[in-house]
Structures are given as C-alpha cells and as structure tokens.
Amino acid sequence: MKKVLILLALVFPLALAQNVTITYWQYEFRSKVEAINELIRRFEAQNPGIKVVHQTFPYDAFQQKVAAAIPAGQGPDVVNLYYGWAPTWVKAGYLVPLPDDWAQRLDRDLVAMAQAAKVGGRLYGVPTAVRSLALFYNKDLFRQAGFAGPPKTWEEFIAMGQKLTVKQGGRFTQIGYGIAPDGQDHHLVREVLVRQFGGRPYSDDGKRVLYQGEAGLKALRFYTDWVRKHEIGVPGFFPGNNGYRDGFIAGKIAMIIDGSFALGTIQQGARFNWGVAELPLERPGGRKANFGSFWMHGLTPLATGPKREAALRFLAFITSEETQRYWLEKVGELPASKNLIRDPKLSLHPVYGPFVLSLAYAKATPFVDEAAQRKVMVDAINRVLLQGMDPAQSLKMAAEEEQKILDQFWR
C-alpha cells in the first residue's frame, strides 16, 4: 500500500480539488469483472474525490460499442483492450498516448512483451497482467499409460499422444491432443513452430509476412499431420466453442495447449490430477518459443482536464505491483512486473512456473487487425484439415491475404 501511495504522489503531485467521475469499460469476463469491482472499491476509499463507474459489455459486441460511443463523446475515460487491437484503435482515434514518463516506467519495470503496447513509438496502454502458453496434461491418464512425466520434445509428444488415443469400432473415445485451430493453435503454428523450425513469422518492423518460407511450411505440415497422419487429434471431437478445453476438463483429452488465463476454469472444473509444462521442443536443446499476449488499459480522448488527472491516477492504481499480486490470486493471470516474476515462489510454482519461465522468450505478434489476422491463420489450418488442401498452397494463400491486411494498414 505504501508503495502505491508513493507512486501516486510522484506521478500526481497535485491533489484533485473537486469531485470527479470517470468511466471504465471492459468486456464481460466474470473473474475480471469481480476483480475490477473490488479494485474500484479500494481505489475510491483511498481517493474520496474520485468516483469510478464500471460498465461491461459482451465480448462480441465490445469493439463495436467502443467504435460507436467514443466518436459520439459518450464512451469511457479508461478502457480495457487486447493489445492487438491498439493499432486500429489508435488510427481510429479511440486512444490517446500516455505521458512520456509512463513509457519510461514501462521500459524499466515491465516484461519485454509489453512493448507491444506502443504504436508508432508512443505508449497507448499499460497491462496489469500478461499471458503465455503451456502444455496442460492429464496426470492420471499419463500414469495409466506408463508415462512418468510430460513430453520434452514434439517426437515424444506424438508418441505419447498416439498411446493416449483410444479408438473403438472406428470411433474415437479418447484423444491424445485437443486440436484447436481457433483456440490457441493458430498462435502455436505462427509464433512457436515457425520460430522453433528456424523461421520468423514477420519482419522486424511487422510490415511483411515471412512465414510462407521453408520453416512456415514445415510448421503447418507438422501441425496438420497430428490429425492427418498421426491421428492424435480430431477436429470437433468435443462440442462447444472451447471444446478442446471442455474435453480436457471432462477427462476425454489427454493434452491441450492453452493460455495461463485458462488456469481458473481448469482448476474449477477438472476432477482429476493434472499438470502444466513448458511447450515441447523440436529436439533436446532446441530453440524455445512461445506466444505472449495481454490486455491493457488505455486512455481515451474523452478524459480531459480533471477527468484526465483522475483517469491517470486510476490507471496507476490498477497497474501497480500490489494490484498485480491481487490479480494473480483473483484472475490467475501472470504479473507484468519484471520484479514480481523474478520471485522464485512464482517461477518454481508447479502451475504458474511453466508460464512464468516462458515469459523470458515469449513474443507478442505485431497485429494491426487481430481478428482479421487470426482468421487468416485459422483458415489456413482448416483448409488443410477439413478440405484436404496441400499445406503449401494453403500457406501461400494465407501469406498473400495477410500481406494485403498489413499493406492496407501501413499505406
């Protein structure tokens, strides 16, 4: 608490001289909504001149709501957004840059992937927490199959997946891996396998697609062979939008790759022993790669005058180290602070540890239109899995489609 007050005093030396009401928007996600409600209660108790109105919206309607409200002058002062939306939101005028000393704080105190909150060299948001990917595995099924621990390499992963897949009378009743192109697997192909196989998905400035090369083709072919050749995954095996995760929780899927944000759901739902491990490698000692992401809090052009000062004060509070500790306990997402993730209690933790260790080498994809770019890679995978298209042809189509998206944004 003392550190938060000191930070606020340094950043905001002048006390607010009047009562101010600011508005905070985010999409509906139960644990995040509950956490923000509690944080607002604490913030208002420490800042009696400031009232924060918290409004939430369904995920699918959230961006459209922002796009309609802010130009009309009726939207939030502080808004929560996925980092991959920032370039489009900045271009549309929904966000304003944060003061320069905030960028210095981000450079000094937060993990490297938080640099993705900058657009054109200016900082447009700060995260409370960050995410990475890891392998979730069913310890009970592993033990029954005679495995002592999770796979270290993809070769081991495939061999274990085959032994953990059960087929009766031509029908799969249990599968080794929960295939999920539109879950986290599009990140797995683009940011993990392409890099592990020696390639880069994009140029350093994020303006050119590079995954159509040899490494990208090897990555797409290798991933889709889990279904086509090795039969350790079955598209649509378990029903629902998050069927891969639900099937794992139901004990019907032995392994999935998911984000740290899934920890709370799996902890609440799984009725068996399960574990988490860093992602397998191409070979022992091979290159490590992971996808990192985060939601951040940005300032809109509606926060002016005293509201801007109050909004910045609230922003400092909900991104403080004290809040990051609370967020880990309440939401399950990892702290964005370099100082906090160095804590051995976190890096050695049996569940949080694999995610924390992965932050050191995780890359945040430089999206300019996250939804459109996600669809490009999901379509590339599904053309191979569901339509039988040759991976080389599908990847070529994807690279051309995504390059058009980048060219249109950067022209």
Side-chain angles (χ1 to χ4, degrees):
M1 181 63 66
K2 185 177 179 181
K3 291 181 66 176
V4 176
L5 294 176
I6 292 173
L7 172 65
L8 294 176
L10 290 173
V11 177
F12 310 105
L14 298 178
L16 290 169
Q18 60 190 83
N19 292 330
V20 178
T21 297
I22 60 173
T23 302
Y24 176 86
W25 277 18
Q26 67 169 331
Y27 78 96
E28 292 171 358
F29 191 88
R30 182 177 176 182
S31 61
K32 291 178 65 174
V33 171
E34 292 175 352
I36 286 293
N37 283 339
E38 171 60 20
L39 290 170
I40 288 173
R41 186 190 66 76
R42 298 180 186 182
F43 175 76
E44 289 180 341
Q46 296 172 27
N47 298 270
I50 304 175
K51 178 177 176 55
V52 182
V53 176
H54 181 197
Q55 294 182 310
T56 64
F57 304 90
Y59 178 85
D60 291 341
F62 186 59
Q63 291 207 70
Q64 291 86 343
K65 188 71 177 177
V66 170
I70 292 181
Q74 299 174 346
D77 302 294
V78 182
V79 64
N80 188 239
L81 69 148
Y82 188 63
Y83 85 94
W85 301 347
T88 302
W89 284 31
V90 169
K91 200 169 186 177
Y94 305 155
L95 298 173
V96 295
L98 297 175
D100 290 343
D101 56 339
W102 282 72
Q104 295 167 10
R105 176 196 163 206
L106 181 135
D107 294 344
R108 183 186 65 241
D109 297 340
L110 302 191
V111 296
M113 76 169 73
Q115 294 294 322
K118 295 179 180 176
V119 179
R122 303 295 301 274
L123 180 65
Y124 286 89
V126 180
T128 298
V130 294
R131 305 162 158 184
S132 61
L133 302 178
L135 180 78
F136 289 76
Y137 64 102
N138 185 318
K139 286 185 175 180
D140 291 347
L141 292 180
F142 267 57
R143 190 178 301 110
Q144 293 167 18
F147 300 130
K152 302 293 186 185
T153 66
W154 292 118
E155 183 179 1
E156 292 178 356
F157 167 85
I158 292 171
M160 290 178 171
Q162 288 175 320
K163 192 168 183 180
L164 290 161
T165 297
V166 179
K167 196 173 184 180
Q168 296 178 341
R171 176 174 172 269
F172 290 94
T173 58
Q174 176 181 299
I175 57 174
Y177 179 71
I179 206 94
D182 57 352
Q184 300 304 310
D185 287 359
H186 62 100
H187 297 306
L188 173 69
V189 172
R190 180 173 43 211
E191 284 293 349
V192 178
L193 295 178
V194 169
R195 293 185 188 279
Q196 285 191 354
F197 293 162
R200 290 187 300 156
Y202 303 96
S203 58
D204 289 341
D205 61 7
K207 296 182 179 179
R208 287 190 299 121
V209 174
L210 301 179
Y211 57 66
Q212 68 272 37
E214 182 179 345
L217 179 57
K218 183 178 178 181
L220 182 59
R221 194 184 300 279
F222 178 73
Y223 171 79
T224 51
D225 276 353
W226 295 355
V227 174
R228 302 191 309 162
K229 180 179 177 182
H230 305 297
E231 293 190 324
I232 63 171
V234 178
F237 171 74
F238 205 87
N241 292 334
N242 293 307
Y244 72 106
R245 187 183 303 149
D246 295 339
F248 179 78
I249 291 172
K252 297 295 184 182
I253 297 175
M255 296 181 282
I256 60 170
I257 289 174
D258 214 339
S260 42
F261 50 86
L263 284 171
T265 301
I266 291 174
Q267 283 171 336
Q268 292 175 15
R271 297 293 180 264
F272 51 85
N273 294 306
W274 55 276
V276 180
E278 284 185 84
L279 298 180
L281 304 176
E282 182 190 18
R283 61 184 183 282
R287 181 181 179 182
K288 292 186 174 184
N290 204 301
F291 169 69
S293 64
F294 56 90
W295 286 74
M296 63 186 197
H297 315 282
L299 206 64
T300 80
L302 304 182
T304 58
K307 291 178 67 175
R308 177 179 169 83
E309 184 177 343
L312 286 170
R313 188 185 291 259
F314 180 62
L315 197 55
F317 180 83
I318 61 175
T319 58
S320 67
E321 287 194 357
E322 181 180 345
T323 293
Q324 291 181 37
R325 289 192 188 92
Y326 170 73
W327 201 263
L328 175 65
E329 295 173 2
K330 178 66 180 177
V331 182
E333 292 184 326
L334 309 173
S337 162
K338 293 177 186 174
N339 182 47
L340 293 183
I341 65 168
R342 290 192 193 106
D343 185 347
K345 291 180 181 177
L346 273 184
S347 58
L348 297 176
H349 191 281
V351 172
Y352 298 134
F355 293 105
V356 171
L357 293 173
S358 301
L359 293 179
Y361 52 85
K363 303 284 186 184
T365 301
F367 292 118
V368 298
D369 186 339
E370 184 270 337
Q373 291 174 269
R374 167 165 35 96
K375 184 176 184 304
V376 165
M377 184 54 69
V378 171
D379 287 349
I381 295 170
N382 283 337
R383 281 193 294 265
V384 178
L385 293 181
L386 305 180
Q387 301 173 22
M389 184 180 287
D390 180 77
Q393 182 183 355
S394 186
L395 196 66
K396 181 174 183 294
M397 290 173 61
E400 291 174 351
E401 291 171 13
E402 188 162 2
Q403 190 61 58
K404 287 181 182 177
I405 295 172
L406 297 179
D407 291 344
Q408 185 174 10
F409 181 83
W410 291 112
R411 67 185 178 186

